[in-house]
Amino acid sequence: RGSFGGDKVTGAVVANPSAGAGGDLPVPSVAVDMKELVDDDHALGDSNAPVTIVEFSDYECPFCGRFYSQTLGQIKSNYVDKGKVKIVYRDFPLSFHPNAQKAAEAAECAGEEGNEAYYKMHDKLFEGGVTGGVSGFKQYAQEIGLDTGKFNSCLDSGKMASEVQK
C-alpha cells in the first residue's frame, strides 16, 4: 500500500510475521524515483505491468541462487506471464564473492544482444554456477548462442564494470 504519483512511489506497508495478528508494519513515507531505481536494467514482463519488483542480486550468492531456483519461476508463472508484475534485475555483486563482479559483467555483455540474451545468460549463471570464472562465462556465451567475438571482447575489456557498479 502507498501512494503512487507519476514516476514516484511513496510510503509502503510490508508484511511482518513477527508483529502478531495483522502483521503489517508501516514503513516511513519516502519518495522513490522509479526511473532512477530501475535505470536501464533488463526487465522481465510487460513494461506496463501495475507492479514492479526490483531484485538486487549477486550471481555467486547462495541465497540469491535459492531465490532463482525456488521462487522466481513461481513469480514468473503466477504474475509476470499474466501481465501483473514486471521484474527488474539489478546487479549487486558482493565484494567477498570473487566471481560475482565478472559474472554480472557477463550478463550485461550478453544483454548487448538484447533482453532475451541477457536473461539466457542470467539463467545460465545461476544454473551452471560461477566457479569457472571468465573462461566459464565465455563457454556459457557459446552454449547459449551469443556472438562470442563481441561477448569475449566486451567481457575482457571490462566495458560493463561501471554499469554493474552503478
Side-chain angles (χ1 to χ4, degrees):
R1 290 168 261 198
S3 59
F4 299 86
D7 294 319
K8 301 265 187 212
V9 178
T10 58
V13 175
V14 295
N16 180 358
S18 63
D24 286 340
L25 176 69
V27 175
S29 183
V30 184
V32 175
D33 184 333
M34 289 302 290
K35 282 186 178 179
E36 185 177 324
L37 182 64
V38 300
D39 190 37
D40 60 349
D41 292 295
H42 296 276
L44 287 175
D46 183 343
S47 62
N48 296 314
V51 173
T52 299
I53 296 173
V54 180
E55 177 192 6
F56 289 82
S57 192
D58 171 331
Y59 291 106
E60 198 165 349
C61 166
F63 301 103
C64 300
R66 188 178 312 154
F67 171 80
Y68 173 81
S69 65
Q70 296 178 4
T71 307
L72 182 59
Q74 293 175 47
I75 292 172
K76 283 174 64 177
S77 63
N78 292 325
Y79 302 101
V80 174
D81 294 347
K82 295 178 180 176
K84 297 177 182 180
V85 169
K86 170 179 70 175
I87 298 177
V88 177
Y89 186 90
R90 296 292 311 260
D91 298 304
F92 195 70
L94 300 172
S95 61
F96 54 88
H97 288 150
N99 291 313
Q101 172 70 31
K102 281 310 246 188
E105 290 178 37
E108 293 292 341
C109 287
E112 290 206 310
E113 293 189 38
N115 201 54
E116 184 178 339
Y118 174 88
Y119 277 101
K120 282 183 178 180
M121 181 60 78
H122 167 277
D123 295 352
K124 196 73 168 166
L125 289 165
F126 276 121
E127 292 166 9
V130 300
T131 57
V134 170
S135 62
F137 308 151
K138 290 178 179 182
Q139 179 63 40
Y140 291 165
Q142 184 177 2
E143 290 172 13
I144 63 176
L146 298 180
D147 178 327
T148 54
K150 288 181 182 176
F151 176 85
N152 294 349
S153 176
C154 176
L155 191 60
D156 290 341
S157 72
K159 175 181 177 180
M160 293 299 179
S162 62
E163 171 65 23
V164 169
Q165 289 303 305
K166 184 174 65 165

mmCIF file of all heavy atoms in Angstrom, residues 121 124 135-148 151-152:
data_model
loop_
_atom_site.group_PDB
_atom_site.id
_atom_site.type_symbol
_atom_site.label_atom_id
_atom_site.label_comp_id
_atom_site.label_asym_id
_atom_site.label_seq_id
_atom_site.Cartn_x
_atom_site.Cartn_y
_atom_site.Cartn_z
ATOM 1 N N MET A 121 21.743 -15.602 -20.287
ATOM 2 C CA MET A 121 22.985 -15.634 -19.519
ATOM 3 C C MET A 121 22.674 -15.614 -18.023
ATOM 4 O O MET A 121 23.293 -16.354 -17.243
ATOM 5 C CB MET A 121 23.899 -14.463 -19.898
ATOM 6 C CG MET A 121 25.224 -14.457 -19.134
ATOM 7 S SD MET A 121 26.266 -15.935 -19.381
ATOM 8 C CE MET A 121 26.974 -15.578 -20.988
ATOM 9 N N LYS A 124 21.747 -19.056 -17.078
ATOM 10 C CA LYS A 124 22.910 -19.939 -17.173
ATOM 11 C C LYS A 124 23.857 -19.734 -15.985
ATOM 12 O O LYS A 124 24.388 -20.701 -15.425
ATOM 13 C CB LYS A 124 23.645 -19.681 -18.495
ATOM 14 C CG LYS A 124 24.599 -20.736 -18.885
ATOM 15 C CD LYS A 124 23.868 -21.967 -19.365
ATOM 16 C CE LYS A 124 24.814 -22.928 -20.030
ATOM 17 N NZ LYS A 124 24.220 -24.249 -20.208
ATOM 18 N N SER A 135 36.541 -17.784 -18.030
ATOM 19 C CA SER A 135 36.540 -18.829 -19.062
ATOM 20 C C SER A 135 35.219 -19.578 -19.060
ATOM 21 O O SER A 135 34.705 -19.950 -20.120
ATOM 22 C CB SER A 135 37.721 -19.782 -18.880
ATOM 23 O OG SER A 135 37.644 -20.450 -17.641
ATOM 24 N N GLY A 136 34.642 -19.784 -17.891
ATOM 25 C CA GLY A 136 33.328 -20.426 -17.806
ATOM 26 C C GLY A 136 32.236 -19.561 -18.414
ATOM 27 O O GLY A 136 31.345 -20.060 -19.099
ATOM 28 N N PHE A 137 32.313 -18.250 -18.194
ATOM 29 C CA PHE A 137 31.296 -17.339 -18.740
ATOM 30 C C PHE A 137 31.372 -17.309 -20.267
ATOM 31 O O PHE A 137 30.357 -17.234 -20.954
ATOM 32 C CB PHE A 137 31.464 -15.929 -18.178
ATOM 33 C CG PHE A 137 31.529 -15.881 -16.658
ATOM 34 C CD1 PHE A 137 32.236 -14.887 -16.031
ATOM 35 C CD2 PHE A 137 30.897 -16.836 -15.877
ATOM 36 C CE1 PHE A 137 32.315 -14.829 -14.641
ATOM 37 C CE2 PHE A 137 30.967 -16.791 -14.486
ATOM 38 C CZ PHE A 137 31.672 -15.788 -13.869
ATOM 39 N N LYS A 138 32.598 -17.396 -20.789
ATOM 40 C CA LYS A 138 32.771 -17.433 -22.244
ATOM 41 C C LYS A 138 32.187 -18.734 -22.809
ATOM 42 O O LYS A 138 31.591 -18.734 -23.889
ATOM 43 C CB LYS A 138 34.246 -17.278 -22.612
ATOM 44 C CG LYS A 138 34.763 -15.878 -22.343
ATOM 45 C CD LYS A 138 36.250 -15.760 -22.667
ATOM 46 C CE LYS A 138 36.744 -14.345 -22.421
ATOM 47 N NZ LYS A 138 38.171 -14.191 -22.765
ATOM 48 N N GLN A 139 32.340 -19.814 -22.088
ATOM 49 C CA GLN A 139 31.754 -21.093 -22.505
ATOM 50 C C GLN A 139 30.227 -20.981 -22.503
ATOM 51 O O GLN A 139 29.566 -21.446 -23.422
ATOM 52 C CB GLN A 139 32.220 -22.222 -21.587
ATOM 53 C CG GLN A 139 31.645 -23.589 -21.943
ATOM 54 C CD GLN A 139 32.066 -24.067 -23.328
ATOM 55 O OE1 GLN A 139 33.209 -23.890 -23.738
ATOM 56 N NE2 GLN A 139 31.149 -24.673 -24.058
ATOM 57 N N TYR A 140 29.675 -20.367 -21.468
ATOM 58 C CA TYR A 140 28.219 -20.172 -21.405
ATOM 59 C C TYR A 140 27.734 -19.366 -22.612
ATOM 60 O O TYR A 140 26.698 -19.675 -23.202
ATOM 61 C CB TYR A 140 27.816 -19.430 -20.130
ATOM 62 C CG TYR A 140 27.983 -20.189 -18.841
ATOM 63 C CD1 TYR A 140 27.950 -19.512 -17.629
ATOM 64 C CD2 TYR A 140 28.162 -21.571 -18.800
ATOM 65 C CE1 TYR A 140 28.094 -20.180 -16.425
ATOM 66 C CE2 TYR A 140 28.312 -22.249 -17.601
ATOM 67 C CZ TYR A 140 28.271 -21.546 -16.411
ATOM 68 O OH TYR A 140 28.406 -22.204 -15.218
ATOM 69 N N ALA A 141 28.487 -18.321 -22.970
ATOM 70 C CA ALA A 141 28.102 -17.483 -24.111
ATOM 71 C C ALA A 141 28.012 -18.322 -25.382
ATOM 72 O O ALA A 141 27.080 -18.170 -26.179
ATOM 73 C CB ALA A 141 29.102 -16.346 -24.290
ATOM 74 N N GLN A 142 28.975 -19.210 -25.553
ATOM 75 C CA GLN A 142 28.963 -20.094 -26.721
ATOM 76 C C GLN A 142 27.752 -21.028 -26.655
ATOM 77 O O GLN A 142 27.049 -21.210 -27.649
ATOM 78 C CB GLN A 142 30.260 -20.886 -26.792
ATOM 79 C CG GLN A 142 30.365 -21.758 -28.012
ATOM 80 C CD GLN A 142 31.705 -22.481 -28.090
ATOM 81 O OE1 GLN A 142 32.551 -22.367 -27.216
ATOM 82 N NE2 GLN A 142 31.902 -23.230 -29.159
ATOM 83 N N GLU A 143 27.498 -21.605 -25.483
ATOM 84 C CA GLU A 143 26.386 -22.550 -25.322
ATOM 85 C C GLU A 143 25.026 -21.924 -25.587
ATOM 86 O O GLU A 143 24.127 -22.597 -26.097
ATOM 87 C CB GLU A 143 26.407 -23.147 -23.906
ATOM 88 C CG GLU A 143 27.568 -24.086 -23.666
ATOM 89 C CD GLU A 143 27.691 -24.532 -22.215
ATOM 90 O OE1 GLU A 143 26.734 -24.325 -21.423
ATOM 91 O OE2 GLU A 143 28.749 -25.085 -21.857
ATOM 92 N N ILE A 144 24.865 -20.651 -25.247
ATOM 93 C CA ILE A 144 23.547 -20.028 -25.456
ATOM 94 C C ILE A 144 23.447 -19.296 -26.793
ATOM 95 O O ILE A 144 22.438 -18.664 -27.079
ATOM 96 C CB ILE A 144 23.153 -19.097 -24.284
ATOM 97 C CG1 ILE A 144 24.120 -17.927 -24.137
ATOM 98 C CG2 ILE A 144 23.032 -19.893 -22.988
ATOM 99 C CD1 ILE A 144 23.702 -16.919 -23.053
ATOM 100 N N GLY A 145 24.499 -19.410 -27.599
ATOM 101 C CA GLY A 145 24.433 -18.899 -28.965
ATOM 102 C C GLY A 145 24.711 -17.419 -29.146
ATOM 103 O O GLY A 145 24.236 -16.818 -30.112
ATOM 104 N N LEU A 146 25.491 -16.833 -28.260
ATOM 105 C CA LEU A 146 25.844 -15.424 -28.425
ATOM 106 C C LEU A 146 26.936 -15.267 -29.469
ATOM 107 O O LEU A 146 27.626 -16.222 -29.796
ATOM 108 C CB LEU A 146 26.332 -14.843 -27.093
ATOM 109 C CG LEU A 146 25.346 -14.841 -25.931
ATOM 110 C CD1 LEU A 146 25.992 -14.233 -24.692
ATOM 111 C CD2 LEU A 146 24.077 -14.091 -26.289
ATOM 112 N N ASP A 147 27.107 -14.051 -29.949
ATOM 113 C CA ASP A 147 28.227 -13.720 -30.824
ATOM 114 C C ASP A 147 29.459 -13.702 -29.906
ATOM 115 O O ASP A 147 29.694 -12.727 -29.189
ATOM 116 C CB ASP A 147 27.993 -12.356 -31.466
ATOM 117 C CG ASP A 147 29.133 -11.906 -32.364
ATOM 118 O OD1 ASP A 147 30.310 -12.243 -32.075
ATOM 119 O OD2 ASP A 147 28.866 -11.202 -33.341
ATOM 120 N N THR A 148 30.218 -14.786 -29.904
ATOM 121 C CA THR A 148 31.299 -14.928 -28.921
ATOM 122 C C THR A 148 32.420 -13.906 -29.119
ATOM 123 O O THR A 148 33.058 -13.511 -28.147
ATOM 124 C CB THR A 148 31.878 -16.357 -28.927
ATOM 125 O OG1 THR A 148 32.278 -16.703 -30.245
ATOM 126 C CG2 THR A 148 30.852 -17.351 -28.396
ATOM 127 N N PHE A 151 31.031 -10.824 -27.419
ATOM 128 C CA PHE A 151 30.895 -11.096 -25.997
ATOM 129 C C PHE A 151 32.263 -11.121 -25.323
ATOM 130 O O PHE A 151 32.476 -10.463 -24.300
ATOM 131 C CB PHE A 151 30.174 -12.425 -25.761
ATOM 132 C CG PHE A 151 30.087 -12.793 -24.301
ATOM 133 C CD1 PHE A 151 29.055 -12.307 -23.513
ATOM 134 C CD2 PHE A 151 31.051 -13.605 -23.720
ATOM 135 C CE1 PHE A 151 28.995 -12.618 -22.155
ATOM 136 C CE2 PHE A 151 30.991 -13.929 -22.372
ATOM 137 C CZ PHE A 151 29.963 -13.436 -21.590
ATOM 138 N N ASN A 152 33.203 -11.881 -25.880
ATOM 139 C CA ASN A 152 34.537 -12.001 -25.292
ATOM 140 C C ASN A 152 35.244 -10.655 -25.226
ATOM 141 O O ASN A 152 35.894 -10.334 -24.224
ATOM 142 C CB ASN A 152 35.384 -13.010 -26.068
ATOM 143 C CG ASN A 152 34.857 -14.424 -25.957
ATOM 144 O OD1 ASN A 152 33.988 -14.736 -25.155
ATOM 145 N ND2 ASN A 152 35.383 -15.304 -26.803
#
